[in-house]
Amino acid sequence: MWVSTKAQYGLRALVEIGLKAPEAVPLKEVAEAQGISQHYLEQIAAQLRRSGFIRSVRGAGGGYRLARPPERVTALEVVEALEGSLAPVSCIEDPESCAKVGQCSTELLWKRVDLAMRQVLGSTTLKDLIEERKLIEAKRLIQLQPAG
């Protein structure tokens, strides 16, 4: 149920790339802006590319671009692509894995946790996260302005 740094960094990288759209963004720039190891980010970017979230642009001015509009990418899709199953316990996704399925007093709890997580992540788009980042940056700039 814990979301790994891979999913966290993957979402942050997509936000960074989405902020610069439609320009291609070099991974080095994304890594520096987000404080992520470039080597680790390269591994994550390869998965994001294979999963159809980004595409690479070669040559001068190359880097990565979003492969789909940010409003058509959900946090759930990204996290599942990078993490695999989000089920809090194995029996949610694979009932055969537990002899207590249907007889367990906590089964409904875990199903509700799974549903809640999927609802939150599934209703949050990359566009939402990009807009949130823009708000954070705007607030930070306002705080940096001298009182006058």
Side-chain angles (χ1 to χ4, degrees):
M1 190 157 101
W2 291 107
V3 176
S4 73
T5 57
K6 184 190 290 189
Q8 294 174 50
Y9 292 174
L11 279 168
R12 286 171 38 193
L14 288 173
V15 168
E16 199 68 39
I17 293 167
L19 280 169
K20 305 283 193 318
E23 297 175 32
V25 184
L27 272 187
K28 181 179 181 182
E29 190 177 309
V30 174
E32 287 172 1
Q34 289 296 318
I36 301 170
S37 152
Q38 186 174 345
H39 177 71
Y40 189 33
L41 189 56
E42 286 168 358
Q43 296 170 27
I44 295 168
Q47 270 189 276
L48 292 171
R49 193 182 73 251
R50 283 191 301 272
S51 298
F53 297 111
I54 57 175
R55 60 186 173 89
S56 58
V57 177
R58 297 190 184 274
Y64 287 92
R65 286 189 182 138
L66 296 178
R68 297 180 357 214
E71 63 273 9
R72 291 190 41 228
V73 176
T74 68
L76 178 62
E77 292 176 282
V78 176
V79 172
E80 285 185 327
L82 294 172
E83 294 283 336
S85 171
L86 287 179
V89 291
S90 61
C91 63
I92 299 297
E93 196 161 83
D94 180 16
E96 304 285 317
S97 69
C98 181
K100 294 282 189 187
V101 170
Q103 306 166 40
C104 177
S105 62
T106 63
E107 186 176 348
L108 184 57
L109 168 69
W110 299 125
K111 285 182 178 181
R112 289 193 324 252
V113 168
D114 185 58
L115 180 63
M117 227 163 104
R118 290 178 181 284
Q119 286 176 333
V120 170
L121 292 172
S123 65
T124 304
T125 66
L126 182 55
K127 182 180 180 183
D128 297 332
L129 298 174
I130 291 168
E131 293 303 318
E132 181 67 25
R133 171 72 183 281
K134 288 178 182 177
L135 284 173
I136 291 167
E137 290 297 318
K139 287 178 187 175
R140 196 176 64 141
L141 288 175
I142 290 169
Q143 290 174 350
L144 292 176
Q145 291 179 351

